[in-house]
Amino acid sequence: MVVFCSPAKINLSLYILGKRDDGYHNLFSLFQLVDLCDTITISSASADQLLIDHPTFQPSSDNLCYKALKLFKKSTNVKKSYSIHLEKKIPIGGGLGGGSSNAATVLYALNQLNNQLLNPLQLLALAKKLGADVPLFLVGSTVVGVGRGDVCFPMSKINLDECWIALSPLVVNTADVFAEVRHEDLQYRRAIDISSDIQAGNWGENDLEQAALRKFPELASMKKELLDCGFNKVFLSGSGGSFVCLGQHHRIPVGIKLIEARRFKKIKVYCG
Ligand code: C5P
């Protein structure tokens, strides 16, 4: 039996560079893994099974853990069966990459349990097949992703002293937000300029934010309320519905309409 943490990610910056022929968008994004984690326990079993500890999110063949298990077995010809137990803490549809992280963790864990049958590049190739956000979780804690976000480069550790995450109760569908993006939402910056900004610690741009705020007006009022708390910067993580808040606030936003205290958390970078 092996137990792994499956951390959430936030996007410290997300720029859309253009639309691709395959329906995806070319991105330039800075991802940071954070200390908000699901737990995945994998053990040998007589048949493959997925168990999930969550009040509403239940196992299905669409689940990325299950898809990762099937893909790993098919690609390696491993015949053994596994039981995967997922304890869900990362909110679903919150722009925090929970499902993608789970898939990456299952691939990594199965490879460990099978004497590293696949080398890191082969593992990354499988991760890409499962989703654009899956590879980053195999690359490092601070990662730049380009292409669909799946061509990933590890970056040196960053300092996130005062970083908070505010979770909304919304379940946001990533494809819907990308579909809502308009020409005027984009900044069309050159990759080299984005890269300089990122290295200088100028984060907080998200080209998906306007589309998400148009689609979900609740997010626009939540952002305003968070800014009223005095943070230096408040921006959406990925396609939402979670906000990243940088800097100190002058009051705990317990009274904020859309946020209960438990949905507001100070986070640290993930060092696992
Ligand atoms: O790859 P994944 O299933 O995570 O992507 C979900 C959806 O988000 C895609 O089907 C696509 O509509 C959109 N997407 C995109 N460009 C990206 C990543 C995701 O348009 N780089």
mmCIF file of all heavy atoms in Angstrom, residues 27-74:
data_model
loop_
_atom_site.group_PDB
_atom_site.id
_atom_site.type_symbol
_atom_site.label_atom_id
_atom_site.label_comp_id
_atom_site.label_asym_id
_atom_site.label_seq_id
_atom_site.Cartn_x
_atom_site.Cartn_y
_atom_site.Cartn_z
ATOM 1 N N LEU A 27 -1.010 28.709 -24.334
ATOM 2 C CA LEU A 27 -0.919 29.462 -23.086
ATOM 3 C C LEU A 27 0.532 29.748 -22.715
ATOM 4 O O LEU A 27 1.453 29.105 -23.223
ATOM 5 C CB LEU A 27 -1.514 28.649 -21.922
ATOM 6 C CG LEU A 27 -2.919 28.084 -22.074
ATOM 7 C CD1 LEU A 27 -3.304 27.319 -20.809
ATOM 8 C CD2 LEU A 27 -3.915 29.197 -22.331
ATOM 9 N N PHE A 28 0.670 30.682 -21.794
ATOM 10 C CA PHE A 28 1.937 30.866 -21.081
ATOM 11 C C PHE A 28 1.509 31.059 -19.639
ATOM 12 O O PHE A 28 0.895 32.064 -19.291
ATOM 13 C CB PHE A 28 2.677 32.098 -21.605
ATOM 14 C CG PHE A 28 4.121 32.156 -21.203
ATOM 15 C CD1 PHE A 28 5.113 32.274 -22.172
ATOM 16 C CD2 PHE A 28 4.509 32.087 -19.870
ATOM 17 C CE1 PHE A 28 6.452 32.324 -21.822
ATOM 18 C CE2 PHE A 28 5.843 32.139 -19.512
ATOM 19 C CZ PHE A 28 6.816 32.255 -20.494
ATOM 20 N N SER A 29 1.764 30.056 -18.813
ATOM 21 C CA SER A 29 1.209 30.124 -17.459
ATOM 22 C C SER A 29 2.257 29.762 -16.417
ATOM 23 O O SER A 29 3.106 28.897 -16.653
ATOM 24 C CB SER A 29 0.017 29.166 -17.351
ATOM 25 O OG SER A 29 -0.664 29.376 -16.136
ATOM 26 N N LEU A 30 2.190 30.456 -15.290
ATOM 27 C CA LEU A 30 3.041 30.111 -14.146
ATOM 28 C C LEU A 30 2.155 29.391 -13.125
ATOM 29 O O LEU A 30 1.189 29.963 -12.607
ATOM 30 C CB LEU A 30 3.640 31.372 -13.513
ATOM 31 C CG LEU A 30 4.478 31.148 -12.259
ATOM 32 C CD1 LEU A 30 5.726 30.310 -12.544
ATOM 33 C CD2 LEU A 30 4.898 32.485 -11.634
ATOM 34 N N PHE A 31 2.496 28.127 -12.888
ATOM 35 C CA PHE A 31 1.739 27.307 -11.944
ATOM 36 C C PHE A 31 2.528 27.179 -10.648
ATOM 37 O O PHE A 31 3.756 27.041 -10.677
ATOM 38 C CB PHE A 31 1.562 25.879 -12.479
ATOM 39 C CG PHE A 31 0.809 25.765 -13.772
ATOM 40 C CD1 PHE A 31 1.497 25.604 -14.978
ATOM 41 C CD2 PHE A 31 -0.568 25.786 -13.812
ATOM 42 C CE1 PHE A 31 0.821 25.466 -16.180
ATOM 43 C CE2 PHE A 31 -1.256 25.646 -15.001
ATOM 44 C CZ PHE A 31 -0.570 25.488 -16.190
ATOM 45 N N GLN A 32 1.813 27.184 -9.529
ATOM 46 C CA GLN A 32 2.446 26.920 -8.237
ATOM 47 C C GLN A 32 1.637 25.848 -7.508
ATOM 48 O O GLN A 32 0.426 26.003 -7.332
ATOM 49 C CB GLN A 32 2.492 28.206 -7.396
ATOM 50 C CG GLN A 32 3.049 28.003 -6.004
ATOM 51 C CD GLN A 32 4.490 27.480 -6.023
ATOM 52 O OE1 GLN A 32 5.366 28.064 -6.646
ATOM 53 N NE2 GLN A 32 4.737 26.352 -5.356
ATOM 54 N N LEU A 33 2.307 24.771 -7.099
ATOM 55 C CA LEU A 33 1.618 23.764 -6.277
ATOM 56 C C LEU A 33 1.530 24.299 -4.855
ATOM 57 O O LEU A 33 2.466 24.931 -4.356
ATOM 58 C CB LEU A 33 2.363 22.422 -6.292
ATOM 59 C CG LEU A 33 2.633 21.788 -7.656
ATOM 60 C CD1 LEU A 33 3.022 20.321 -7.493
ATOM 61 C CD2 LEU A 33 1.440 21.911 -8.586
ATOM 62 N N VAL A 34 0.393 24.048 -4.199
ATOM 63 C CA VAL A 34 0.164 24.600 -2.864
ATOM 64 C C VAL A 34 -0.256 23.490 -1.892
ATOM 65 O O VAL A 34 -0.618 22.382 -2.296
ATOM 66 C CB VAL A 34 -0.898 25.733 -2.898
ATOM 67 C CG1 VAL A 34 -0.397 26.904 -3.723
ATOM 68 C CG2 VAL A 34 -2.233 25.240 -3.440
ATOM 69 N N ASP A 35 -0.221 23.860 -0.585
ATOM 70 C CA ASP A 35 -0.404 22.836 0.456
ATOM 71 C C ASP A 35 -1.879 22.550 0.767
ATOM 72 O O ASP A 35 -2.255 22.403 1.926
ATOM 73 C CB ASP A 35 0.344 23.241 1.734
ATOM 74 C CG ASP A 35 -0.273 24.478 2.388
ATOM 75 O OD1 ASP A 35 -0.996 25.216 1.681
ATOM 76 O OD2 ASP A 35 -0.051 24.698 3.582
ATOM 77 N N LEU A 36 -2.675 22.489 -0.254
ATOM 78 C CA LEU A 36 -4.061 22.034 -0.141
ATOM 79 C C LEU A 36 -4.108 20.729 -0.938
ATOM 80 O O LEU A 36 -3.926 20.752 -2.158
ATOM 81 C CB LEU A 36 -4.996 23.092 -0.746
ATOM 82 C CG LEU A 36 -6.458 22.710 -0.971
ATOM 83 C CD1 LEU A 36 -7.143 22.360 0.342
ATOM 84 C CD2 LEU A 36 -7.208 23.860 -1.645
ATOM 85 N N CYS A 37 -4.264 19.602 -0.241
ATOM 86 C CA CYS A 37 -4.006 18.302 -0.898
ATOM 87 C C CYS A 37 -5.140 17.302 -0.730
ATOM 88 O O CYS A 37 -5.749 17.229 0.340
ATOM 89 C CB CYS A 37 -2.762 17.643 -0.299
ATOM 90 S SG CYS A 37 -1.266 18.602 -0.480
ATOM 91 N N ASP A 38 -5.379 16.523 -1.787
ATOM 92 C CA ASP A 38 -6.143 15.285 -1.657
ATOM 93 C C ASP A 38 -5.151 14.208 -1.225
ATOM 94 O O ASP A 38 -3.931 14.372 -1.382
ATOM 95 C CB ASP A 38 -6.736 14.871 -3.015
ATOM 96 C CG ASP A 38 -7.821 15.829 -3.493
ATOM 97 O OD1 ASP A 38 -8.386 16.551 -2.657
ATOM 98 O OD2 ASP A 38 -8.087 15.837 -4.717
ATOM 99 N N THR A 39 -5.685 13.099 -0.697
ATOM 100 C CA THR A 39 -4.813 11.962 -0.373
ATOM 101 C C THR A 39 -5.227 10.777 -1.239
ATOM 102 O O THR A 39 -6.423 10.488 -1.363
ATOM 103 C CB THR A 39 -4.961 11.590 1.120
ATOM 104 O OG1 THR A 39 -4.694 12.761 1.880
ATOM 105 C CG2 THR A 39 -3.976 10.508 1.520
ATOM 106 N N ILE A 40 -4.227 10.123 -1.801
ATOM 107 C CA ILE A 40 -4.504 8.951 -2.646
ATOM 108 C C ILE A 40 -3.761 7.751 -2.076
ATOM 109 O O ILE A 40 -2.538 7.784 -1.908
ATOM 110 C CB ILE A 40 -4.077 9.220 -4.109
ATOM 111 C CG1 ILE A 40 -4.962 10.327 -4.696
ATOM 112 C CG2 ILE A 40 -4.156 7.944 -4.937
ATOM 113 C CD1 ILE A 40 -4.694 10.636 -6.149
ATOM 114 N N THR A 41 -4.514 6.702 -1.775
ATOM 115 C CA THR A 41 -3.918 5.460 -1.267
ATOM 116 C C THR A 41 -4.129 4.374 -2.319
ATOM 117 O O THR A 41 -5.259 4.183 -2.791
ATOM 118 C CB THR A 41 -4.618 5.041 0.050
ATOM 119 O OG1 THR A 41 -4.585 6.155 0.938
ATOM 120 C CG2 THR A 41 -3.916 3.862 0.698
ATOM 121 N N ILE A 42 -3.042 3.721 -2.689
ATOM 122 C CA ILE A 42 -3.146 2.673 -3.721
ATOM 123 C C ILE A 42 -2.667 1.350 -3.138
ATOM 124 O O ILE A 42 -1.598 1.288 -2.516
ATOM 125 C CB ILE A 42 -2.310 3.034 -4.966
ATOM 126 C CG1 ILE A 42 -2.774 4.391 -5.503
ATOM 127 C CG2 ILE A 42 -2.411 1.951 -6.031
ATOM 128 C CD1 ILE A 42 -2.212 4.764 -6.851
ATOM 129 N N SER A 43 -3.466 0.316 -3.318
ATOM 130 C CA SER A 43 -3.050 -1.008 -2.856
ATOM 131 C C SER A 43 -3.422 -2.060 -3.899
ATOM 132 O O SER A 43 -4.276 -1.816 -4.765
ATOM 133 C CB SER A 43 -3.686 -1.329 -1.503
ATOM 134 O OG SER A 43 -4.992 -0.825 -1.436
ATOM 135 N N SER A 44 -2.762 -3.215 -3.790
ATOM 136 C CA SER A 44 -3.080 -4.317 -4.704
ATOM 137 C C SER A 44 -4.489 -4.802 -4.387
ATOM 138 O O SER A 44 -4.936 -4.738 -3.242
ATOM 139 C CB SER A 44 -2.103 -5.472 -4.497
ATOM 140 O OG SER A 44 -0.823 -5.020 -4.815
ATOM 141 N N ALA A 45 -5.180 -5.285 -5.413
ATOM 142 C CA ALA A 45 -6.562 -5.746 -5.206
ATOM 143 C C ALA A 45 -6.851 -6.868 -6.207
ATOM 144 O O ALA A 45 -6.061 -7.101 -7.134
ATOM 145 C CB ALA A 45 -7.528 -4.586 -5.407
ATOM 146 N N SER A 46 -7.982 -7.533 -6.016
ATOM 147 C CA SER A 46 -8.314 -8.619 -6.954
ATOM 148 C C SER A 46 -8.933 -8.054 -8.239
ATOM 149 O O SER A 46 -8.924 -8.714 -9.280
ATOM 150 C CB SER A 46 -9.251 -9.620 -6.286
ATOM 151 O OG SER A 46 -10.321 -8.913 -5.719
ATOM 152 N N ALA A 47 -9.482 -6.840 -8.151
ATOM 153 C CA ALA A 47 -10.009 -6.169 -9.359
ATOM 154 C C ALA A 47 -9.797 -4.669 -9.185
ATOM 155 O O ALA A 47 -9.755 -4.179 -8.053
ATOM 156 C CB ALA A 47 -11.493 -6.465 -9.506
ATOM 157 N N ASP A 48 -9.674 -3.955 -10.295
ATOM 158 C CA ASP A 48 -9.485 -2.499 -10.206
ATOM 159 C C ASP A 48 -10.714 -1.851 -9.587
ATOM 160 O O ASP A 48 -11.852 -2.174 -9.953
ATOM 161 C CB ASP A 48 -9.289 -1.906 -11.610
ATOM 162 C CG ASP A 48 -7.943 -2.298 -12.197
ATOM 163 O OD1 ASP A 48 -7.021 -2.585 -11.413
ATOM 164 O OD2 ASP A 48 -7.826 -2.314 -13.441
ATOM 165 N N GLN A 49 -10.477 -0.970 -8.633
ATOM 166 C CA GLN A 49 -11.616 -0.227 -8.074
ATOM 167 C C GLN A 49 -11.175 1.153 -7.599
ATOM 168 O O GLN A 49 -10.008 1.373 -7.269
ATOM 169 C CB GLN A 49 -12.281 -0.993 -6.934
ATOM 170 C CG GLN A 49 -11.392 -1.201 -5.741
ATOM 171 C CD GLN A 49 -12.180 -1.699 -4.522
ATOM 172 O OE1 GLN A 49 -13.409 -1.657 -4.502
ATOM 173 N NE2 GLN A 49 -11.469 -2.155 -3.506
ATOM 174 N N LEU A 50 -12.143 2.074 -7.596
ATOM 175 C CA LEU A 50 -11.906 3.445 -7.147
ATOM 176 C C LEU A 50 -12.916 3.765 -6.052
ATOM 177 O O LEU A 50 -14.130 3.592 -6.242
ATOM 178 C CB LEU A 50 -12.084 4.400 -8.343
ATOM 179 C CG LEU A 50 -12.042 5.891 -8.050
ATOM 180 C CD1 LEU A 50 -10.688 6.317 -7.486
ATOM 181 C CD2 LEU A 50 -12.336 6.688 -9.335
ATOM 182 N N LEU A 51 -12.403 4.200 -4.896
ATOM 183 C CA LEU A 51 -13.280 4.603 -3.791
ATOM 184 C C LEU A 51 -13.020 6.073 -3.530
ATOM 185 O O LEU A 51 -11.858 6.492 -3.503
ATOM 186 C CB LEU A 51 -12.956 3.797 -2.523
ATOM 187 C CG LEU A 51 -12.979 2.277 -2.677
ATOM 188 C CD1 LEU A 51 -12.294 1.601 -1.495
ATOM 189 C CD2 LEU A 51 -14.423 1.810 -2.809
ATOM 190 N N ILE A 52 -14.076 6.849 -3.331
ATOM 191 C CA ILE A 52 -13.894 8.300 -3.115
ATOM 192 C C ILE A 52 -14.606 8.727 -1.829
ATOM 193 O O ILE A 52 -15.798 8.430 -1.651
ATOM 194 C CB ILE A 52 -14.436 9.118 -4.308
ATOM 195 C CG1 ILE A 52 -13.761 8.672 -5.604
ATOM 196 C CG2 ILE A 52 -14.200 10.610 -4.082
ATOM 197 C CD1 ILE A 52 -14.184 9.447 -6.846
ATOM 198 N N ASP A 53 -13.856 9.422 -0.969
ATOM 199 C CA ASP A 53 -14.444 10.026 0.234
ATOM 200 C C ASP A 53 -14.880 11.435 -0.107
ATOM 201 O O ASP A 53 -14.062 12.366 -0.097
ATOM 202 C CB ASP A 53 -13.366 10.153 1.340
ATOM 203 C CG ASP A 53 -13.317 8.916 2.185
ATOM 204 O OD1 ASP A 53 -14.186 8.057 2.011
ATOM 205 O OD2 ASP A 53 -12.396 8.826 3.021
ATOM 206 N N HIS A 54 -16.124 11.600 -0.444
ATOM 207 C CA HIS A 54 -16.657 12.929 -0.755
ATOM 208 C C HIS A 54 -18.176 12.825 -0.734
ATOM 209 O O HIS A 54 -18.727 11.815 -1.195
ATOM 210 C CB HIS A 54 -16.172 13.403 -2.137
ATOM 211 C CG HIS A 54 -16.495 14.836 -2.437
ATOM 212 N ND1 HIS A 54 -17.696 15.233 -2.983
ATOM 213 C CD2 HIS A 54 -15.774 15.960 -2.257
ATOM 214 C CE1 HIS A 54 -17.697 16.554 -3.119
ATOM 215 N NE2 HIS A 54 -16.540 17.015 -2.688
ATOM 216 N N PRO A 55 -18.864 13.855 -0.211
ATOM 217 C CA PRO A 55 -20.319 13.729 -0.082
ATOM 218 C C PRO A 55 -21.061 13.590 -1.412
ATOM 219 O O PRO A 55 -22.075 12.904 -1.487
ATOM 220 C CB PRO A 55 -20.738 15.014 0.648
ATOM 221 C CG PRO A 55 -19.549 15.906 0.649
ATOM 222 C CD PRO A 55 -18.334 15.077 0.404
ATOM 223 N N THR A 56 -20.563 14.251 -2.464
ATOM 224 C CA THR A 56 -21.339 14.206 -3.725
ATOM 225 C C THR A 56 -20.564 13.643 -4.910
ATOM 226 O O THR A 56 -21.156 13.118 -5.845
ATOM 227 C CB THR A 56 -21.797 15.641 -4.114
ATOM 228 O OG1 THR A 56 -20.639 16.485 -4.135
ATOM 229 C CG2 THR A 56 -22.818 16.178 -3.129
ATOM 230 N N PHE A 57 -19.270 13.754 -4.875
ATOM 231 C CA PHE A 57 -18.443 13.357 -6.022
ATOM 232 C C PHE A 57 -18.190 11.845 -5.933
ATOM 233 O O PHE A 57 -17.473 11.391 -5.053
ATOM 234 C CB PHE A 57 -17.136 14.143 -5.929
ATOM 235 C CG PHE A 57 -16.198 13.947 -7.078
ATOM 236 C CD1 PHE A 57 -16.562 14.276 -8.373
ATOM 237 C CD2 PHE A 57 -14.917 13.452 -6.862
ATOM 238 C CE1 PHE A 57 -15.667 14.109 -9.422
ATOM 239 C CE2 PHE A 57 -14.021 13.292 -7.904
ATOM 240 C CZ PHE A 57 -14.411 13.626 -9.185
ATOM 241 N N GLN A 58 -18.806 11.092 -6.793
ATOM 242 C CA GLN A 58 -18.718 9.633 -6.682
ATOM 243 C C GLN A 58 -17.962 9.005 -7.857
ATOM 244 O O GLN A 58 -17.846 9.615 -8.917
ATOM 245 C CB GLN A 58 -20.136 9.054 -6.571
ATOM 246 C CG GLN A 58 -20.776 9.327 -5.196
ATOM 247 C CD GLN A 58 -19.862 8.907 -4.025
ATOM 248 O OE1 GLN A 58 -19.375 7.780 -3.986
ATOM 249 N NE2 GLN A 58 -19.595 9.816 -3.099
ATOM 250 N N PRO A 59 -17.402 7.800 -7.653
ATOM 251 C CA PRO A 59 -16.589 7.176 -8.699
ATOM 252 C C PRO A 59 -17.371 6.957 -9.990
ATOM 253 O O PRO A 59 -18.546 6.605 -9.944
ATOM 254 C CB PRO A 59 -16.202 5.818 -8.092
ATOM 255 C CG PRO A 59 -16.404 5.954 -6.638
ATOM 256 C CD PRO A 59 -17.469 6.976 -6.438
ATOM 257 N N SER A 60 -16.689 7.187 -11.120
ATOM 258 C CA SER A 60 -17.277 6.847 -12.420
ATOM 259 C C SER A 60 -16.118 6.547 -13.358
ATOM 260 O O SER A 60 -14.965 6.856 -13.052
ATOM 261 C CB SER A 60 -18.087 8.032 -12.961
ATOM 262 O OG SER A 60 -17.192 9.007 -13.453
ATOM 263 N N SER A 61 -16.449 5.947 -14.494
ATOM 264 C CA SER A 61 -15.371 5.592 -15.431
ATOM 265 C C SER A 61 -14.750 6.851 -16.041
ATOM 266 O O SER A 61 -13.687 6.803 -16.651
ATOM 267 C CB SER A 61 -15.904 4.658 -16.514
ATOM 268 O OG SER A 61 -17.032 5.252 -17.084
ATOM 269 N N ASP A 62 -15.415 8.007 -15.876
ATOM 270 C CA ASP A 62 -14.874 9.294 -16.363
ATOM 271 C C ASP A 62 -13.820 9.870 -15.430
ATOM 272 O O ASP A 62 -13.132 10.816 -15.791
ATOM 273 C CB ASP A 62 -16.000 10.351 -16.385
ATOM 274 C CG ASP A 62 -16.771 10.274 -17.657
ATOM 275 O OD1 ASP A 62 -16.335 9.513 -18.529
ATOM 276 O OD2 ASP A 62 -17.809 10.948 -17.746
ATOM 277 N N ASN A 63 -13.757 9.343 -14.216
ATOM 278 C CA ASN A 63 -12.840 9.918 -13.230
ATOM 279 C C ASN A 63 -11.391 9.802 -13.722
ATOM 280 O O ASN A 63 -10.976 8.753 -14.228
ATOM 281 C CB ASN A 63 -13.010 9.189 -11.895
ATOM 282 C CG ASN A 63 -12.179 9.842 -10.821
ATOM 283 O OD1 ASN A 63 -10.963 9.688 -10.795
ATOM 284 N ND2 ASN A 63 -12.826 10.609 -9.970
ATOM 285 N N LEU A 64 -10.644 10.884 -13.565
ATOM 286 C CA LEU A 64 -9.271 10.904 -14.096
ATOM 287 C C LEU A 64 -8.358 9.899 -13.391
ATOM 288 O O LEU A 64 -7.402 9.426 -13.994
ATOM 289 C CB LEU A 64 -8.699 12.324 -14.003
ATOM 290 C CG LEU A 64 -9.089 13.244 -15.157
ATOM 291 C CD1 LEU A 64 -8.644 14.678 -14.881
ATOM 292 C CD2 LEU A 64 -8.470 12.777 -16.472
ATOM 293 N N CYS A 65 -8.630 9.569 -12.129
ATOM 294 C CA CYS A 65 -7.829 8.526 -11.442
ATOM 295 C C CYS A 65 -7.999 7.196 -12.167
ATOM 296 O O CYS A 65 -7.035 6.466 -12.400
ATOM 297 C CB CYS A 65 -8.316 8.316 -10.002
ATOM 298 S SG CYS A 65 -7.919 9.650 -8.915
ATOM 299 N N TYR A 66 -9.260 6.918 -12.484
ATOM 300 C CA TYR A 66 -9.572 5.656 -13.145
ATOM 301 C C TYR A 66 -8.964 5.627 -14.547
ATOM 302 O O TYR A 66 -8.369 4.634 -14.974
ATOM 303 C CB TYR A 66 -11.093 5.524 -13.195
ATOM 304 C CG TYR A 66 -11.548 4.104 -13.346
ATOM 305 C CD1 TYR A 66 -11.373 3.196 -12.307
ATOM 306 C CD2 TYR A 66 -12.130 3.656 -14.524
ATOM 307 C CE1 TYR A 66 -11.776 1.874 -12.448
ATOM 308 C CE2 TYR A 66 -12.533 2.350 -14.669
ATOM 309 C CZ TYR A 66 -12.359 1.458 -13.637
ATOM 310 O OH TYR A 66 -12.746 0.152 -13.774
ATOM 311 N N LYS A 67 -9.078 6.753 -15.245
ATOM 312 C CA LYS A 67 -8.501 6.826 -16.598
ATOM 313 C C LYS A 67 -6.986 6.660 -16.545
ATOM 314 O O LYS A 67 -6.391 6.030 -17.413
ATOM 315 C CB LYS A 67 -8.847 8.173 -17.245
ATOM 316 C CG LYS A 67 -10.289 8.279 -17.694
ATOM 317 C CD LYS A 67 -10.492 9.562 -18.473
ATOM 318 C CE LYS A 67 -11.876 9.628 -19.075
ATOM 319 N NZ LYS A 67 -12.153 10.932 -19.666
ATOM 320 N N ALA A 68 -6.361 7.246 -15.508
ATOM 321 C CA ALA A 68 -4.903 7.139 -15.368
ATOM 322 C C ALA A 68 -4.506 5.684 -15.118
ATOM 323 O O ALA A 68 -3.532 5.177 -15.702
ATOM 324 C CB ALA A 68 -4.421 8.031 -14.217
ATOM 325 N N LEU A 69 -5.275 5.002 -14.283
ATOM 326 C CA LEU A 69 -4.998 3.588 -13.994
ATOM 327 C C LEU A 69 -5.094 2.758 -15.271
ATOM 328 O O LEU A 69 -4.201 1.965 -15.589
ATOM 329 C CB LEU A 69 -6.003 3.097 -12.929
ATOM 330 C CG LEU A 69 -6.048 1.603 -12.636
ATOM 331 C CD1 LEU A 69 -4.711 1.109 -12.076
ATOM 332 C CD2 LEU A 69 -7.157 1.272 -11.637
ATOM 333 N N LYS A 70 -6.168 2.956 -16.015
ATOM 334 C CA LYS A 70 -6.378 2.183 -17.240
ATOM 335 C C LYS A 70 -5.276 2.481 -18.263
ATOM 336 O O LYS A 70 -4.758 1.575 -18.921
ATOM 337 C CB LYS A 70 -7.755 2.515 -17.853
ATOM 338 C CG LYS A 70 -8.908 2.046 -17.014
ATOM 339 C CD LYS A 70 -9.009 0.518 -17.055
ATOM 340 C CE LYS A 70 -9.953 -0.016 -16.001
ATOM 341 N NZ LYS A 70 -9.736 -1.413 -15.638
ATOM 342 N N LEU A 71 -4.936 3.766 -18.387
ATOM 343 C CA LEU A 71 -3.920 4.154 -19.379
ATOM 344 C C LEU A 71 -2.556 3.575 -19.006
ATOM 345 O O LEU A 71 -1.825 3.078 -19.876
ATOM 346 C CB LEU A 71 -3.849 5.685 -19.463
ATOM 347 C CG LEU A 71 -2.891 6.251 -20.501
ATOM 348 C CD1 LEU A 71 -3.295 5.855 -21.925
ATOM 349 C CD2 LEU A 71 -2.831 7.790 -20.412
ATOM 350 N N PHE A 72 -2.233 3.620 -17.717
ATOM 351 C CA PHE A 72 -0.934 3.083 -17.279
ATOM 352 C C PHE A 72 -0.873 1.583 -17.590
ATOM 353 O O PHE A 72 0.131 1.094 -18.139
ATOM 354 C CB PHE A 72 -0.728 3.328 -15.781
ATOM 355 C CG PHE A 72 0.597 2.836 -15.285
ATOM 356 C CD1 PHE A 72 1.734 3.643 -15.374
ATOM 357 C CD2 PHE A 72 0.729 1.557 -14.755
ATOM 358 C CE1 PHE A 72 2.973 3.174 -14.944
ATOM 359 C CE2 PHE A 72 1.968 1.086 -14.316
ATOM 360 C CZ PHE A 72 3.078 1.903 -14.410
ATOM 361 N N LYS A 73 -1.926 0.860 -17.257
ATOM 362 C CA LYS A 73 -1.907 -0.596 -17.452
ATOM 363 C C LYS A 73 -1.818 -0.942 -18.942
ATOM 364 O O LYS A 73 -1.078 -1.832 -19.341
ATOM 365 C CB LYS A 73 -3.151 -1.222 -16.819
ATOM 366 C CG LYS A 73 -3.083 -1.241 -15.295
ATOM 367 C CD LYS A 73 -4.313 -1.798 -14.645
ATOM 368 C CE LYS A 73 -4.522 -3.258 -14.920
ATOM 369 N NZ LYS A 73 -5.588 -3.835 -14.069
ATOM 370 N N LYS A 74 -2.569 -0.188 -19.754
ATOM 371 C CA LYS A 74 -2.574 -0.457 -21.198
ATOM 372 C C LYS A 74 -1.192 -0.168 -21.789
ATOM 373 O O LYS A 74 -0.677 -0.930 -22.608
ATOM 374 C CB LYS A 74 -3.627 0.442 -21.857
ATOM 375 C CG LYS A 74 -3.930 0.071 -23.269
ATOM 376 C CD LYS A 74 -5.135 0.820 -23.782
ATOM 377 C CE LYS A 74 -5.145 0.740 -25.293
ATOM 378 N NZ LYS A 74 -5.483 1.992 -25.922
#
